[in-house]
Amino acid sequence: MMLSRFGLLFLLLACAHGAQASAMRCIVANLQYHSAPGDGEGYAEAVLKAVAKRVHVACRFDVQPLNRALASAGHDASTLTFPVARTAQRETSFLWLLPLLEDDYVLVSTGSIPARPLSGLTVGVVRGSMLVDFATRAGYDHLDLSTDEGENLRKLMAGRFRVWLTGRTRALEQMRKQGLDPARFHFSGPLHHFVVYAAASPHFDPLQAQRWRQAYAAMRTDGTLAAIRRRFGIQGATLAP
């Protein structure tokens, strides 16, 4: 099922407790991290589906805009959202349930990467993302805001701006989706390292959280998580919950 490029997706989870089922909402961000060829599913989504299967949860998708979805996940104890970058600004707003992926902020250009500072240059970023705050603090004072990273890549190719600020893994995923060879692009060194999580409200049920973490740990041990990473071309070691 292809994820909408306009925001987040609800994943409604029916959790069986004896003869009675309860519902848990799981909101999936449209940050797919290496979609497999011909498959709209992303890495983070694939991992969480596998964990949900192990904790006997059925899934159904729906759409929610980014900011509203993050607000819901932060305050609704029955909601899980992913993938969410763990940052100092968000630290106390969520229970950081499962680490899904490590990544780095980088600058991407079709030409040489300009020497910093980038004052006066237009930099492409995703509207409402943590990249906007990072760009502002880093002194990138001319921002071109887009709804998603696919739009940013198309703008970069069209010459709308010279530099794209994004996650390295996210950039590679979009290049492959659009049939572009990453070798055509120039990448800066890492500007900021971060870890993407499945996150929940601080009031999320502790027993439910334990079940999800145990299932994820079992996937690391039995090779399931490594197989999913190979499917999406994700490099590096898996992260402990």
Side-chain angles (χ1 to χ4, degrees):
M1 178 180 183
M2 183 67 69
L3 298 183
S4 166
R5 72 187 184 91
F6 292 106
L8 298 183
L9 299 174
F10 282 130
L11 176 56
L12 297 181
L13 306 177
C15 305
H17 296 287
Q20 198 167 16
S22 62
M24 187 174 79
R25 184 174 61 182
C26 186
I27 307 172
V28 186
N30 186 29
L31 302 175
Q32 295 178 338
Y33 292 105
H34 287 293
S35 295
D39 186 355
E41 180 182 64
Y43 169 73
E45 181 187 357
V47 171
L48 267 293
K49 279 184 176 179
V51 177
K53 184 176 180 180
R54 294 198 178 206
V55 296
H56 306 292
V57 169
C59 308
R60 182 174 67 85
F61 291 93
D62 200 358
V63 178
Q64 179 82 337
L66 172 62
N67 290 336
R68 193 189 318 161
L70 288 176
S72 297
H75 296 96
D76 185 346
S78 64
T79 296
L80 182 70
T81 189
F82 64 92
V84 180
R86 187 170 185 172
T87 66
Q89 296 93 326
R90 292 172 174 167
E91 184 64 31
T92 59
S93 298
F94 297 98
L95 168 68
W96 300 97
L97 189 64
L98 304 175
L100 300 174
L101 184 74
E102 293 183 282
D103 206 354
D104 295 297
Y105 290 165
V106 294
L107 298 172
V108 182
S109 178
T110 55
S112 60
I113 300 293
R116 297 184 66 187
L118 299 183
S119 178
L121 281 178
T122 300
V123 178
V125 295
V126 171
R127 179 183 293 107
S129 70
M130 297 305 297
L131 286 159
V132 175
D133 180 66
F134 176 83
T136 301
R137 287 187 285 108
Y140 307 160
D141 51 7
H142 289 76
L143 303 182
D144 186 308
L145 304 179
S146 298
T147 57
D148 59 42
E149 296 289 30
E151 183 180 356
N152 271 332
L153 179 52
R154 289 188 290 273
K155 285 182 176 180
L156 178 68
M157 295 301 295
R160 290 276 300 275
F161 47 74
R162 182 178 172 187
V163 178
W164 174 24
L165 176 63
T166 184
R168 180 184 298 276
T169 303
R170 201 175 306 170
L172 292 170
E173 189 267 340
Q174 287 298 332
M175 290 170 189
R176 288 170 181 142
K177 281 181 65 177
Q178 297 187 31
L180 299 171
D181 184 355
R184 295 177 55 185
F185 298 86
H186 295 264
F187 290 76
S188 73
L191 303 177
H192 175 72
H193 183 76
F194 66 97
V195 179
V196 171
Y197 275 75
S201 162
H203 306 295
F204 191 77
D205 180 3
L207 292 179
Q208 185 79 291
Q210 183 180 21
R211 292 177 63 215
W212 282 75
R213 285 171 171 157
Q214 287 174 342
Y216 183 82
M219 287 169 52
R220 293 183 73 233
T221 301
D222 66 19
T224 301
L225 189 56
I228 296 173
R229 290 173 75 89
R230 287 194 298 270
R231 173 186 161 200
F232 289 94
I234 302 296
Q235 304 296 318
T238 58
L239 302 172

